[in-house]
Amino acid sequence: MELRKSYFADERDDHLVEVGKPRARTDALGHVTGASRFFADRNFPGMLHLKMVRSPHHHARIRAIDTAAAERLPGVVRILTARDVPHNLYTILTLIQVGPEDENVLATDKVRWQGEAVAAVLALSERAATEAAARVAVDYEVLPAVLDIDAALQAEAPIVNEYHGRNYYRYDSGECRKVRYGDVEAGFRAADHILDQTYSSSPIEHAPTETTGCIVVPEPGERFTCYTNTQAMFFTLDVVAMILEVPGHRLHMVGGTVGGGFGGKVDVIVEPIAVLAAKLTGRPVSFIYSRAEEMQVSSPRGAERIRIKDGVLRDGRIVARQVTAWLDAGAYSRHSTYGAQKAAAHFPGPYTIPNVAVDSYCIYTNRTPSSAMRGFGVTIGDFALEVQMDKLARLVGMHPLEFRCLNAYRDGDMKAHRQPTEGAALVECMQEASRLAGWPMAQHFYAMSSRRREA
Amino acid sequence: MPKVAIRFTLNGSEAAEFVESGTTLLGALRDKLGETSVKGGCLQGTCGACSVIIDGALKLSCLTLAESCQDARIETVAALARGGLLHPLQRAFVETFATQCGFCTSGMLMAAKALLDHNATPSREDVIEAISGNICRCTGYEPIIQAILAASRAATSTAA
Ligand code: FES
Ligand code: FES
């Protein structure tokens, strides 16, 4: 790796010990010898296997659940339903005071997405658990479903999640997260061109090679050890404690090597029910998603729709940007309220624009709850923003890199969400990228700096 | 469920167990014999994480019945290092950053070993073909391809 030391030369300490040199991963030796321990590389005598009975409907009322036939099958130890869950209502971000609780561990009167957990079967083998899960009879009254952002926002749309009472999340700032900076309408009036475009994306599954799961072992004194591949150890500990209504010190979470997460293992989904099952049966419990569950049930990145309206001057300066964004959270909040909030702050992008207005909505639909995935709330926004930047450059007849340099934020610039810019390096990145790609810009763009704005 | 006796050679040692008829080799290795170096990512023959070498041929242990392996010679990644020395493939995987989360690594190494056992000087295309049944969600494959090519170069240069 070559370090280009000409950038920020006066800020640089060149006595680098690690930077720029390859380092072996500390876990690589374990990985190549097969010795790294993943959560499922354990086996406990008497361990039970948990399989979920899941909703086949997008939206339905549960009239009755009949477990009698399933319970009679050989190997079945116990079947848990909503009644067995001490505090059967939660939301992950309660821990940072973001409510309301809006999701059941096991469905009570309704299911709100296809795949929602309704009953948990515990059996001596995975095969017995799977067979019994298929025999649990659930009587559903199918309800009309809301399957995309447009449908959710119709005046007559069915309400997806009663804990919110409307098909969008209510922030303290109102029906969406808002950013207001300057006067966006005045900016549009001053502009030579207006470009108004809408971008959309589908849900994306992380598809880690190791599926989500945990193994819980009851210990003496009403304590439990939970071996899990969670990416959020402390959220998991606290959320499990709240759902089971047990003090946190009774729970010992053991993490370790995670076989790919990408944000998909940040939700607290498998652990609460597995710990409860271990508590109620007194036996070790393994709950591991099948590949089908990983693909269909685990939270994906949510679908997004982003409308960007920009006003630009003939010389290339962007003078106004108005963004309306909708993030499809699916049936429950999980981490999406945070994703939509992050999007609001991010939307002007790494550009300095004097007039900005952003409305970012978190929408509920009867789809698989979406959640964290690699820069969620930002990544799809960046796709939209950068496509928009290319279109704007074309509109004013400028080189796309030069157009970005012209509008790039510099140190000291105020961002639309009122954070001053520090440590910017966008201009330098584009300078180097243009050199590496052999895609030259006019000479004066190489003299620009993120540290100061040229006169 | 009737149990059947299985017996085979696992990484050079005799292994014997009683398993339920219909148990996969993956299940027998991991749950009965404690051979957890073998991973299961899909249990349906699509990810390659469970790859092992049976009598010299690369196989998916999740689609292989344990009872079909009587007297077979089974190799897993656990036997790749010899006498405390890493196999050239293992060294190359460490050096070229060809393992990240590590979950695909056991299967990848088995696919790579099966390739090099039959073709000591594979082309880039041979390597790609050889790992085409193994999914890696972390590395983007290029470091893995580079590692396998580097290992083949290292092995042939020491042999020369
Ligand atoms: S576990 Fe065998 S191919 Fe995926
Ligand atoms: S290293 Fe994670 S799947 Fe390959």
Side-chain angles (χ1 to χ4, degrees), chain A residues 297-441:
Chain A
V297 170
S298 75
S299 312
R301 184 197 289 286
E304 289 183 45
R305 195 168 67 199
I306 299 162
R307 178 174 172 190
I308 308 176
K309 180 177 170 189
D310 283 333
V312 63
L313 299 181
R314 218 167 284 126
D315 68 7
R317 278 173 297 155
I318 305 171
V319 286
R321 171 164 285 174
Q322 183 173 29
V323 180
T324 314
W326 298 266
L327 168 65
D328 184 347
Y332 299 108
S333 297
R334 298 203 181 166
H335 290 86
S336 291
T337 52
Y338 170 66
Q341 163 156 324
K342 196 146 59 99
H346 183 73
F347 268 122
Y351 305 106
T352 293
I353 301 174
N355 303 294
V356 173
V358 181
D359 286 346
S360 182
Y361 291 84
C362 174
I363 304 291
Y364 298 104
T365 64
N366 293 110
R367 299 189 64 173
T368 312
S370 64
S371 195
M373 183 183 197
R374 317 194 89 179
F376 71 123
V378 168
T379 315
I380 302 296
D382 277 337
F383 154 76
L385 286 175
E386 296 308 323
V387 173
Q388 179 86 357
M389 291 299 280
D390 281 343
K391 289 182 180 178
L392 287 169
R394 233 172 284 143
L395 189 63
V396 295
M398 277 184 77
H399 183 309
L401 288 180
E402 294 176 357
F403 176 70
R404 284 175 171 83
C405 280
L406 181 70
N407 288 290
Y409 63 179
R410 319 287 185 92
D411 279 3
D413 288 355
M414 186 55 77
K415 296 187 209 168
H417 66 300
R418 309 299 195 286
Q419 290 286 319
T421 304
E422 297 169 29
L426 178 60
V427 166
E428 288 74 10
C429 281
M430 286 188 293
Q431 290 165 346
E432 189 57 21
S434 109
R435 286 194 179 104
L436 286 172
W439 192 21
M441 301 186 286

Side-chain angles (χ1 to χ4, degrees), chain B residues 39-52:
Chain B
K39 305 299 176 199
C42 69
L43 316 188
Q44 57 184 22
T46 54
C47 76
C50 66
S51 302
V52 296

Side-chain angles (χ1 to χ4, degrees), chain A residues 209 259-260 262, chain B residues 98-105 135-139 144:
Chain A
T209 45
F262 320 114
Chain B
T99 175
Q100 284 188 37
C101 80
F103 202 77
C104 71
T105 307
I135 288 176
C136 176
R137 284 290 284 163
C138 302
T139 63
I144 297 175

Side-chain angles (χ1 to χ4, degrees), chain A residues 208-272:
Chain A
T209 45
E210 176 207 45
T211 63
T212 303
C214 67
I215 294 176
V216 182
V217 181
E219 311 283 1
E222 278 279 292
R223 296 164 74 95
F224 302 90
T225 305
C226 176
Y227 303 94
T228 163
N229 60 8
T230 182
Q231 291 179 261
M233 195 61 82
F234 291 96
F235 270 122
T236 304
L237 192 152
D238 288 346
V239 170
V240 172
M242 288 168 71
I243 290 170
L244 267 72
E245 297 179 331
V246 301
H249 65 80
R250 297 263 177 81
L251 305 171
H252 180 200
M253 297 287 158
V254 181
T257 309
V258 175
F262 320 114
K265 289 171 179 163
V266 137
D267 290 353
V268 185
I269 306 294
V270 291
E271 296 87 354

Side-chain angles (χ1 to χ4, degrees), chain B residues 60-74:
Chain B
L60 297 173
S61 63
C62 74
L63 294 188
T64 304
L65 290 181
E67 55 208 275
S68 73
C69 298
Q70 292 300 354
D71 302 322
R73 212 160 27 81
I74 297 171

